[in-house]
Amino acid sequence: MDDGFGSLQIKRASTAEQVAEALRHMILRGEVEQGQPLREVALAASIGISRNTMREAIRVLAREGIVTHHMHRGAVVTRLDARDVEDIFRVRRVLELASLQATLDAEPEQLAGLAEAVHEFEVAAHTGDWAGIIDADQLFHDRLVGLLGSRRLSRFFDAIQAEIRLCMSIVDRSGSDTGALVAEHQELLRLISTRELDRCAEVMGGHLADAEATLRTLVTESPQSTRE
């Protein structure tokens, strides 16, 4: 049975981290559907690694929330529902709105990092590079939370971003208003740069509310969204 992983290759001596990274890339790019089983034996054989290595790689993804273990049925790619989206954005509001205050003490190179992310957003939108758009969006928000100066919060936010990317893997690219997304991030950057934090918090709140509503609808209506 072809699970869609036949093209997966690992360079040099395969390790659990390398395998996890390759699987993560495929899942978050939408190449592997939510709810699809990850059969250890078949995957390990197709890549040419031991079953133990594959098991450890899957455990890494399970800790990140990208993979879910079901009793007696093994691991599957996680399916997110509206409750998950609501919880994710509850966390995002706490972290990202707190990060806006930290912009007051940001170094010039940190603000330049935010500007760089917005520029990457603009380029990706102009070329229609959907994966690049998501990368740039997440880079902007990663760097914003990074202004809090907490490695632990940044690691925690990375896990949240992975779940957001999992949601985005089932977005209909053709219906996405990338121009509006670019404009929102340009406005956020302008308001951060001019220290208009009250207005920036309003724009950020609206941005997160719109994103949450979109993803809630997406996971509810998608044929992949029903939990087993």
Side-chain angles (χ1 to χ4, degrees), residues 1-9 22-27 29-33 36-39 42-44 46-47 54 77:
M1 179 178 177
D2 183 6
D3 287 306
F5 296 95
S7 62
L8 181 60
Q9 297 180 347
L23 287 173
R24 184 187 300 107
H25 177 85
M26 295 180 71
I27 292 168
R29 296 280 174 163
E31 298 171 26
V32 184
E33 292 186 354
Q36 181 167 330
L38 300 176
R39 298 182 176 88
L43 284 172
S46 68
I47 303 170
M54 178 55 66
V77 178

mmCIF file of all heavy atoms in Angstrom, residues 1-9 22-27 29-33 36-39 42-44 46-47 54 77:
data_model
loop_
_atom_site.group_PDB
_atom_site.id
_atom_site.type_symbol
_atom_site.label_atom_id
_atom_site.label_comp_id
_atom_site.label_asym_id
_atom_site.label_seq_id
_atom_site.Cartn_x
_atom_site.Cartn_y
_atom_site.Cartn_z
ATOM 1 N N MET A 1 0.850 -1.204 0.000
ATOM 2 C CA MET A 1 0.000 0.000 0.000
ATOM 3 C C MET A 1 0.881 1.248 0.000
ATOM 4 O O MET A 1 1.826 1.359 0.757
ATOM 5 C CB MET A 1 -0.887 0.001 1.246
ATOM 6 C CG MET A 1 -1.781 1.236 1.338
ATOM 7 S SD MET A 1 -2.850 1.159 2.804
ATOM 8 C CE MET A 1 -3.657 2.753 2.647
ATOM 9 N N ASP A 2 0.537 2.202 -0.896
ATOM 10 C CA ASP A 2 1.337 3.415 -1.009
ATOM 11 C C ASP A 2 0.768 4.482 -0.075
ATOM 12 O O ASP A 2 -0.355 4.940 -0.238
ATOM 13 C CB ASP A 2 1.306 3.925 -2.447
ATOM 14 C CG ASP A 2 2.180 5.155 -2.640
ATOM 15 O OD1 ASP A 2 2.891 5.536 -1.685
ATOM 16 O OD2 ASP A 2 2.152 5.710 -3.734
ATOM 17 N N ASP A 3 1.558 4.870 0.936
ATOM 18 C CA ASP A 3 1.110 5.886 1.894
ATOM 19 C C ASP A 3 1.494 7.291 1.455
ATOM 20 O O ASP A 3 1.298 8.243 2.183
ATOM 21 C CB ASP A 3 1.724 5.597 3.276
ATOM 22 C CG ASP A 3 1.078 4.400 3.938
ATOM 23 O OD1 ASP A 3 -0.158 4.405 4.060
ATOM 24 O OD2 ASP A 3 1.796 3.459 4.304
ATOM 25 N N GLY A 4 2.119 7.424 0.273
ATOM 26 C CA GLY A 4 2.511 8.742 -0.191
ATOM 27 C C GLY A 4 3.865 9.189 0.300
ATOM 28 O O GLY A 4 4.242 10.333 0.148
ATOM 29 N N PHE A 5 4.636 8.274 0.908
ATOM 30 C CA PHE A 5 5.931 8.636 1.471
ATOM 31 C C PHE A 5 7.092 8.032 0.672
ATOM 32 O O PHE A 5 8.227 8.087 1.117
ATOM 33 C CB PHE A 5 6.029 8.156 2.934
ATOM 34 C CG PHE A 5 5.052 8.806 3.845
ATOM 35 C CD1 PHE A 5 3.847 8.205 4.124
ATOM 36 C CD2 PHE A 5 5.331 10.040 4.420
ATOM 37 C CE1 PHE A 5 2.929 8.801 4.969
ATOM 38 C CE2 PHE A 5 4.419 10.636 5.268
ATOM 39 C CZ PHE A 5 3.212 10.015 5.537
ATOM 40 N N GLY A 6 6.797 7.456 -0.488
ATOM 41 C CA GLY A 6 7.843 6.768 -1.232
ATOM 42 C C GLY A 6 8.997 7.651 -1.653
ATOM 43 O O GLY A 6 10.112 7.187 -1.839
ATOM 44 N N SER A 7 8.721 8.969 -1.826
ATOM 45 C CA SER A 7 9.770 9.884 -2.279
ATOM 46 C C SER A 7 10.597 10.452 -1.136
ATOM 47 O O SER A 7 11.547 11.198 -1.348
ATOM 48 C CB SER A 7 9.146 11.048 -3.067
ATOM 49 O OG SER A 7 8.275 11.784 -2.227
ATOM 50 N N LEU A 8 10.223 10.109 0.101
ATOM 51 C CA LEU A 8 10.928 10.642 1.260
ATOM 52 C C LEU A 8 12.312 10.035 1.363
ATOM 53 O O LEU A 8 12.477 8.826 1.406
ATOM 54 C CB LEU A 8 10.122 10.341 2.527
ATOM 55 C CG LEU A 8 10.688 10.850 3.852
ATOM 56 C CD1 LEU A 8 10.826 12.360 3.816
ATOM 57 C CD2 LEU A 8 9.766 10.434 4.994
ATOM 58 N N GLN A 9 13.342 10.876 1.385
ATOM 59 C CA GLN A 9 14.716 10.420 1.473
ATOM 60 C C GLN A 9 15.448 11.185 2.566
ATOM 61 O O GLN A 9 15.221 12.366 2.769
ATOM 62 C CB GLN A 9 15.447 10.624 0.139
ATOM 63 C CG GLN A 9 14.847 9.821 -1.008
ATOM 64 C CD GLN A 9 15.599 10.062 -2.310
ATOM 65 O OE1 GLN A 9 16.407 10.990 -2.409
ATOM 66 N NE2 GLN A 9 15.339 9.231 -3.296
ATOM 67 N N ALA A 22 11.824 15.802 8.232
ATOM 68 C CA ALA A 22 11.291 15.514 6.903
ATOM 69 C C ALA A 22 9.784 15.266 6.945
ATOM 70 O O ALA A 22 9.038 15.773 6.102
ATOM 71 C CB ALA A 22 12.012 14.304 6.314
ATOM 72 N N LEU A 23 9.338 14.505 7.929
ATOM 73 C CA LEU A 23 7.907 14.254 8.066
ATOM 74 C C LEU A 23 7.154 15.537 8.396
ATOM 75 O O LEU A 23 6.072 15.808 7.869
ATOM 76 C CB LEU A 23 7.657 13.223 9.165
ATOM 77 C CG LEU A 23 8.026 11.764 8.855
ATOM 78 C CD1 LEU A 23 7.870 10.911 10.105
ATOM 79 C CD2 LEU A 23 7.156 11.219 7.735
ATOM 80 N N ARG A 24 7.738 16.344 9.295
ATOM 81 C CA ARG A 24 7.119 17.622 9.673
ATOM 82 C C ARG A 24 6.920 18.496 8.437
ATOM 83 O O ARG A 24 5.857 19.106 8.243
ATOM 84 C CB ARG A 24 7.991 18.340 10.698
ATOM 85 C CG ARG A 24 7.374 19.629 11.227
ATOM 86 C CD ARG A 24 8.342 20.396 12.119
ATOM 87 N NE ARG A 24 8.761 19.651 13.279
ATOM 88 C CZ ARG A 24 9.979 19.114 13.442
ATOM 89 N NH1 ARG A 24 10.908 19.256 12.476
ATOM 90 N NH2 ARG A 24 10.284 18.455 14.526
ATOM 91 N N HIS A 25 7.942 18.565 7.607
ATOM 92 C CA HIS A 25 7.880 19.374 6.387
ATOM 93 C C HIS A 25 6.734 18.911 5.496
ATOM 94 O O HIS A 25 5.943 19.727 4.996
ATOM 95 C CB HIS A 25 9.215 19.263 5.638
ATOM 96 C CG HIS A 25 9.236 20.008 4.336
ATOM 97 N ND1 HIS A 25 9.536 21.343 4.259
ATOM 98 C CD2 HIS A 25 8.980 19.598 3.064
ATOM 99 C CE1 HIS A 25 9.473 21.728 2.992
ATOM 100 N NE2 HIS A 25 9.136 20.695 2.254
ATOM 101 N N MET A 26 6.612 17.611 5.306
ATOM 102 C CA MET A 26 5.565 17.078 4.434
ATOM 103 C C MET A 26 4.174 17.326 4.999
ATOM 104 O O MET A 26 3.251 17.696 4.274
ATOM 105 C CB MET A 26 5.787 15.576 4.224
ATOM 106 C CG MET A 26 7.062 15.240 3.476
ATOM 107 S SD MET A 26 7.279 13.451 3.261
ATOM 108 C CE MET A 26 6.006 13.107 2.047
ATOM 109 N N ILE A 27 4.023 17.143 6.303
ATOM 110 C CA ILE A 27 2.718 17.327 6.941
ATOM 111 C C ILE A 27 2.292 18.793 6.895
ATOM 112 O O ILE A 27 1.164 19.121 6.512
ATOM 113 C CB ILE A 27 2.752 16.826 8.396
ATOM 114 C CG1 ILE A 27 2.903 15.292 8.422
ATOM 115 C CG2 ILE A 27 1.495 17.249 9.151
ATOM 116 C CD1 ILE A 27 3.234 14.734 9.796
ATOM 117 N N ARG A 29 3.249 21.128 4.963
ATOM 118 C CA ARG A 29 3.063 21.626 3.601
ATOM 119 C C ARG A 29 1.813 21.047 2.955
ATOM 120 O O ARG A 29 1.520 21.333 1.796
ATOM 121 C CB ARG A 29 4.288 21.280 2.751
ATOM 122 C CG ARG A 29 5.578 21.938 3.210
ATOM 123 C CD ARG A 29 5.683 23.367 2.759
ATOM 124 N NE ARG A 29 6.852 24.016 3.326
ATOM 125 C CZ ARG A 29 7.369 25.154 2.867
ATOM 126 N NH1 ARG A 29 6.828 25.750 1.840
ATOM 127 N NH2 ARG A 29 8.416 25.696 3.441
ATOM 128 N N GLY A 30 1.081 20.231 3.698
ATOM 129 C CA GLY A 30 -0.141 19.662 3.168
ATOM 130 C C GLY A 30 0.062 18.475 2.266
ATOM 131 O O GLY A 30 -0.874 18.017 1.600
ATOM 132 N N GLU A 31 1.282 17.930 2.217
ATOM 133 C CA GLU A 31 1.562 16.775 1.367
ATOM 134 C C GLU A 31 1.033 15.485 1.981
ATOM 135 O O GLU A 31 0.892 14.472 1.284
ATOM 136 C CB GLU A 31 3.068 16.667 1.108
ATOM 137 C CG GLU A 31 3.638 17.869 0.360
ATOM 138 C CD GLU A 31 5.154 17.851 0.292
ATOM 139 O OE1 GLU A 31 5.742 16.751 0.362
ATOM 140 O OE2 GLU A 31 5.757 18.926 0.164
ATOM 141 N N VAL A 32 0.785 15.498 3.277
ATOM 142 C CA VAL A 32 0.197 14.367 3.985
ATOM 143 C C VAL A 32 -1.037 14.892 4.700
ATOM 144 O O VAL A 32 -0.956 15.856 5.453
ATOM 145 C CB VAL A 32 1.184 13.757 5.002
ATOM 146 C CG1 VAL A 32 0.572 12.518 5.654
ATOM 147 C CG2 VAL A 32 2.503 13.411 4.332
ATOM 148 N N GLU A 33 -2.183 14.278 4.470
ATOM 149 C CA GLU A 33 -3.436 14.801 4.992
ATOM 150 C C GLU A 33 -3.602 14.569 6.484
ATOM 151 O O GLU A 33 -3.088 13.599 7.040
ATOM 152 C CB GLU A 33 -4.617 14.159 4.257
ATOM 153 C CG GLU A 33 -4.726 14.561 2.804
ATOM 154 C CD GLU A 33 -5.982 14.009 2.170
ATOM 155 O OE1 GLU A 33 -6.696 13.221 2.831
ATOM 156 O OE2 GLU A 33 -6.262 14.374 1.008
ATOM 157 N N GLN A 36 -4.269 11.007 8.374
ATOM 158 C CA GLN A 36 -3.621 9.882 7.696
ATOM 159 C C GLN A 36 -2.761 9.091 8.672
ATOM 160 O O GLN A 36 -1.984 9.669 9.431
ATOM 161 C CB GLN A 36 -2.751 10.372 6.539
ATOM 162 C CG GLN A 36 -2.059 9.238 5.782
ATOM 163 C CD GLN A 36 -1.470 9.693 4.474
ATOM 164 O OE1 GLN A 36 -1.975 10.623 3.845
ATOM 165 N NE2 GLN A 36 -0.414 9.045 4.030
ATOM 166 N N PRO A 37 -2.881 7.761 8.668
ATOM 167 C CA PRO A 37 -2.062 6.938 9.561
ATOM 168 C C PRO A 37 -0.582 7.025 9.204
ATOM 169 O O PRO A 37 -0.209 7.174 8.036
ATOM 170 C CB PRO A 37 -2.595 5.512 9.320
ATOM 171 C CG PRO A 37 -3.934 5.700 8.702
ATOM 172 C CD PRO A 37 -3.840 6.954 7.894
ATOM 173 N N LEU A 38 0.264 6.947 10.213
ATOM 174 C CA LEU A 38 1.711 6.887 10.036
ATOM 175 C C LEU A 38 2.152 5.495 10.487
ATOM 176 O O LEU A 38 2.369 5.258 11.667
ATOM 177 C CB LEU A 38 2.399 7.975 10.861
ATOM 178 C CG LEU A 38 2.002 9.417 10.522
ATOM 179 C CD1 LEU A 38 2.671 10.391 11.476
ATOM 180 C CD2 LEU A 38 2.347 9.755 9.077
ATOM 181 N N ARG A 39 2.242 4.581 9.555
ATOM 182 C CA ARG A 39 2.550 3.185 9.859
ATOM 183 C C ARG A 39 4.058 3.009 9.985
ATOM 184 O O ARG A 39 4.797 3.140 9.006
ATOM 185 C CB ARG A 39 1.969 2.282 8.785
ATOM 186 C CG ARG A 39 0.440 2.371 8.708
ATOM 187 C CD ARG A 39 -0.140 1.426 7.663
ATOM 188 N NE ARG A 39 -1.597 1.453 7.678
ATOM 189 C CZ ARG A 39 -2.348 2.299 6.973
ATOM 190 N NH1 ARG A 39 -1.755 3.200 6.202
ATOM 191 N NH2 ARG A 39 -3.659 2.258 7.038
ATOM 192 N N ALA A 42 5.957 0.310 7.605
ATOM 193 C CA ALA A 42 5.991 0.679 6.188
ATOM 194 C C ALA A 42 6.862 1.900 5.949
ATOM 195 O O ALA A 42 7.642 1.954 4.985
ATOM 196 C CB ALA A 42 4.574 0.925 5.684
ATOM 197 N N LEU A 43 6.739 2.908 6.839
ATOM 198 C CA LEU A 43 7.540 4.117 6.684
ATOM 199 C C LEU A 43 9.026 3.824 6.854
ATOM 200 O O LEU A 43 9.863 4.297 6.072
ATOM 201 C CB LEU A 43 7.097 5.169 7.704
ATOM 202 C CG LEU A 43 5.795 5.907 7.413
ATOM 203 C CD1 LEU A 43 5.409 6.767 8.600
ATOM 204 C CD2 LEU A 43 5.932 6.760 6.164
ATOM 205 N N ALA A 44 9.357 3.050 7.880
ATOM 206 C CA ALA A 44 10.763 2.733 8.136
ATOM 207 C C ALA A 44 11.365 1.985 6.951
ATOM 208 O O ALA A 44 12.501 2.262 6.527
ATOM 209 C CB ALA A 44 10.887 1.894 9.410
ATOM 210 N N SER A 46 10.339 2.091 3.786
ATOM 211 C CA SER A 46 10.427 2.930 2.585
ATOM 212 C C SER A 46 11.608 3.889 2.637
ATOM 213 O O SER A 46 12.162 4.270 1.604
ATOM 214 C CB SER A 46 9.127 3.723 2.410
ATOM 215 O OG SER A 46 8.974 4.700 3.423
ATOM 216 N N ILE A 47 12.013 4.287 3.854
ATOM 217 C CA ILE A 47 13.127 5.221 4.001
ATOM 218 C C ILE A 47 14.454 4.493 4.186
ATOM 219 O O ILE A 47 15.517 5.014 3.864
ATOM 220 C CB ILE A 47 12.877 6.157 5.210
ATOM 221 C CG1 ILE A 47 11.547 6.900 5.028
ATOM 222 C CG2 ILE A 47 14.007 7.165 5.377
ATOM 223 C CD1 ILE A 47 11.110 7.660 6.257
ATOM 224 N N MET A 54 12.130 5.285 13.493
ATOM 225 C CA MET A 54 10.875 5.857 13.039
ATOM 226 C C MET A 54 9.943 6.130 14.214
ATOM 227 O O MET A 54 9.284 7.168 14.288
ATOM 228 C CB MET A 54 10.196 4.915 12.041
ATOM 229 C CG MET A 54 8.840 5.419 11.543
ATOM 230 S SD MET A 54 8.915 7.081 10.810
ATOM 231 C CE MET A 54 9.914 6.742 9.353
ATOM 232 N N VAL A 77 -1.722 11.678 11.623
ATOM 233 C CA VAL A 77 -1.528 13.119 11.561
ATOM 234 C C VAL A 77 -2.714 13.774 12.277
ATOM 235 O O VAL A 77 -3.869 13.426 12.041
ATOM 236 C CB VAL A 77 -1.451 13.600 10.105
ATOM 237 C CG1 VAL A 77 -1.296 15.119 10.051
ATOM 238 C CG2 VAL A 77 -0.283 12.926 9.386
#
